[in-house]
Amino acid sequence: MTRPADAQAGHSSSYALLVVGVVVADWRMAVLLLRVAGAPDQPPREYLERMFTDAGRGSGNLVDYFDDVSLGQVDLGRSRLFGWMDYGHTKQELADAYRSAYDGKHDELIAAGMSVPAADKGAGDYANEVYRGLIVQWARDAFVAWNAGQDAPASLNDFGDRLICVFNQPIDYFGNPGRTVVNWDPAGPPFSVDLTGVAHEVGHNLGLNHSRLDGSNLEYGDPWDVMSAYDGVHLSTAGAAPGSSAPFLTAGPGLNAANMDLVGWLDPGRVLDLTGAGAGQIQLRPLHRRDLPGYLAVRFILDGRPHYAELRLTTRWDRAIPRPCVLLHRRGIHPAAGNWCSELLTFAVGGTGSARSDLVAGDSITVGDPTRIRAGAVDLAILDIDAQQERATLSFRVRPQRRDLQAGSPFAGVAAGAGGLVWTPGRGLHRVPPHSPVLSVLDALAEYEALQDVTGDGAADLERIRLGRLLQSRDRLDAIVRARQSYQVPAPPTDRSG
């Protein structure tokens, strides 16, 4: 989430502490309280101490949030506040820097022959980068000046050079690796020092990217994920004093399983990986409840990309979501930046024809196209969601992606002059002479057998595809028979005279 333009996130380093056999990343940050002339020091320092540090642990603060969504792997508790300190620059100076960078770059792009709309965008992107770079650099300068007058000067290196810049009035709102900039807005939230907005921008600081909706080019789109920020389903007490049901003005939502896995926070020991053909049932616990025994997510691979099923209940960070539900996400690629991101999947369920993402008891879906045998598919059914017992029961059936080897590739023996073990879909390993034409027949029959398990709409089309595989088998066998019945004309003898 950014204002006025977007900031991309990546990964940054961390220090590791070994605690009772669990690696906990010490992501303590230097929180710089920056005073720009024209507004008082706000919000109160006590509020900021409780939000950003161990002083507020257990109250639903930023430390608690990332402890939960990282499954205990990220600790922000040793973050430290510095200031209030004079920023040393005005909002007008920042605006002037933006305008100067924009005008210079715009003239340069027009002179290079770029169209006006393209030059407008290019100049805006460049000026925004310059502007935001200056915001952080001037904040660092302010810290150096303030720190020099302290009895016990501190070093930003002690915090891995990870900064959270908190301004006393609206300046900007963004995050990128190692950097977060937020501001107090008395008219907010949004875009104030509230938990949802700050958690989103600190998420960028920690390496997270925006969460998206599958099939959409919009920058945000996942209402159940904090990396869609205020577009997400969050609790808000806008206008209410801190201390209500959201003591830091807003709260939630949580973080989805795909995002957790992308930054290494999804405990592999708490994930059921569906590999190979099979069917069964599984009970899921709420995604962020590492204190409860059992699986927290289901993961499977389709079209080369991980997919995740997760349970979310109307509690804690998700207490503003409409209802308990199961969600499916997958790892996607940002259409503009090209970096990894999460994508929320939607399905037409319940016979209404309208698509939705929150699956409830009685919903059944298929992920993937079951008629594309080589692509694979997974059937999921939500049998029950028990909010009191904090669990959901799902059934699944997996038709795995076909990974065809070149026909005749032996697992044992040599490629010519000897037999070998050959893998064929539907039959596994068997002894066939290398490069045998029988392999093509087995291949078509294996697809026919796999299609027997496919159900759903379009029965006539499915039957046509099944019949096609049988006809392929027949035609290939006919070709083998004809070849074996043909006259074998020997090659002429080699002339050895001379």
Side-chain angles (χ1 to χ4, degrees):
M1 176 185 59
T2 59
R3 188 179 66 176
D6 197 23
Q8 294 304 323
H11 295 275
S12 58
S13 61
S14 65
Y15 302 109
L17 299 176
L18 190 62
V19 181
V20 199
V22 177
V23 176
V24 180
D26 178 14
W27 285 96
R28 53 181 167 164
M29 299 184 182
V31 183
L32 310 186
L33 309 185
L34 299 158
R35 179 191 302 118
V36 177
D41 297 344
Q42 53 188 355
R45 186 183 175 92
E46 186 270 339
Y47 173 89
L48 296 169
E49 288 278 4
R50 288 191 299 108
M51 168 173 271
F52 288 107
T53 75
D54 269 335
R57 191 185 289 271
S59 65
N61 69 348
L62 192 72
V63 179
D64 296 329
Y65 182 85
F66 279 102
D67 178 65
D68 280 352
V69 301
S70 72
L71 301 184
Q73 297 180 66
V74 171
D75 186 2
L76 296 175
R78 294 205 295 162
S79 297
R80 180 181 167 191
L81 272 60
F82 297 96
W84 295 90
M85 62 189 72
D86 289 328
Y87 187 55
H89 297 276
T90 66
K91 295 173 70 172
Q92 187 59 51
E93 287 179 86
L94 287 167
D96 291 344
Y98 180 93
R99 174 50 60 185
S100 176
Y102 181 93
D103 290 343
K105 179 58 70 172
H106 194 272
D107 291 345
E108 175 187 329
L109 296 177
I110 291 295
M114 187 174 287
S115 68
V116 171
D120 291 345
K121 183 180 186 309
D125 291 344
Y126 172 77
N128 193 63
E129 183 176 350
V130 170
Y131 169 82
R132 288 183 164 174
L134 271 180
I135 289 176
V136 175
Q137 183 55 54
W138 288 349
R140 295 172 64 90
D141 294 345
F143 171 80
V144 170
W146 176 86
N147 195 42
Q150 303 303 305
D151 294 336
S155 171
L156 296 182
N157 290 332
D158 294 338
F159 301 86
D161 199 34
R162 291 181 294 272
L163 306 179
I164 300 177
C165 302
V166 180
F167 287 90
N168 65 334
Q169 59 182 289
I171 296 293
D172 203 347
Y173 217 89
F174 65 90
N176 54 24
R179 304 288 182 266
T180 295
V181 172
V182 296
N183 48 227
W184 177 255
D185 188 345
F191 299 108
S192 191
V193 188
D194 60 284
L195 187 60
T196 293
V198 172
H200 175 97
E201 303 304 354
V202 171
H204 284 313
N205 196 315
L206 295 172
L208 289 161
N209 297 309
H210 289 149
S211 50
R212 306 176 64 83
L213 177 66
D214 178 40
S216 172
N217 287 325
L218 297 177
E219 192 55 35
Y220 311 102
D222 186 347
W224 291 270
D225 189 76
V226 77
M227 296 315 292
S228 284
Y230 299 116
D231 289 347
V233 182
H234 62 281
L235 181 69
S236 177
T237 56
S244 60
S245 58
F248 301 100
L249 302 181
T250 59
L255 193 68
N256 72 60
N259 268 334
M260 292 168 65
D261 208 15
L262 280 167
V263 289
W265 299 344
L266 189 60
D267 182 354
R270 308 293 302 274
V271 178
L272 176 64
D273 279 303
L274 301 182
T275 58
Q281 289 188 9
I282 179 179
Q283 284 193 342
L284 281 182
R285 292 296 195 171
L287 178 61
H288 307 125
R289 291 296 303 275
R290 68 183 188 274
D291 57 312
L292 297 176
Y295 288 112
L296 302 178
V298 173
R299 179 172 50 204
F300 52 91
I301 307 294
L302 288 177
D303 291 328
R305 290 195 284 176
H307 291 61
Y308 308 80
E310 65 195 53
L311 171 63
R312 307 286 284 272
L313 300 181
T314 55
T315 58
R316 202 152 171 79
W317 311 112
D318 292 330
R319 59 189 183 273
I321 68 175
R323 57 183 177 178
C325 62
V326 171
L327 303 172
L328 270 82
H329 293 87
R330 72 178 171 201
R331 184 179 299 185
I333 299 177
H334 192 286
N339 51 11
W340 290 111
C341 61
S342 70
E343 293 179 344
L344 175 67
L345 303 184
T346 59
F347 304 92
V349 290
T352 64
S354 60
R356 57 181 169 86
S357 298
D358 53 334
L359 304 177
V360 297
D363 288 341
S364 298
I365 60 165
T366 296
V367 188
D369 184 352
T371 66
R372 295 174 57 218
I373 299 302
R374 283 177 170 79
V378 174
D379 298 325
L380 289 175
I382 316 304
L383 303 181
D384 179 62
I385 296 179
D386 189 332
Q388 288 190 336
Q389 296 296 319
E390 299 182 285
R391 65 191 179 199
T393 304
L394 282 64
S395 69
F396 62 86
R397 183 172 61 168
V398 181
R399 295 185 292 279
Q401 179 177 342
R402 288 268 304 274
R403 297 183 178 179
D404 294 335
L405 300 177
Q406 182 179 358
S409 299
F411 284 84
V414 295
L421 296 176
V422 180
W423 178 87
T424 302
R427 289 186 51 110
L429 296 171
H430 51 278
R431 292 191 176 277
V432 178
H435 313 299
S436 168
V438 174
L439 289 168
S440 62
V441 179
L442 295 175
D443 185 70
L445 286 175
E447 289 195 0
Y448 171 78
E449 287 297 328
L451 282 164
Q452 302 307 304
D453 294 331
V454 177
T455 59
D457 297 335
D461 290 336
L462 286 172
E463 184 56 35
R464 176 180 53 79
I465 296 172
R466 294 187 188 109
L467 179 60
R469 298 301 186 271
L470 284 177
L471 293 174
Q472 284 180 356
S473 301
R474 182 201 64 187
D475 294 343
R476 291 170 183 175
L477 277 173
D478 285 345
I480 294 172
V481 171
R482 288 194 301 271
R484 295 180 69 89
Q485 289 177 337
S486 299
Y487 290 106
Q488 304 299 309
V489 180
T494 302
D495 184 1
R496 300 179 182 274
S497 62

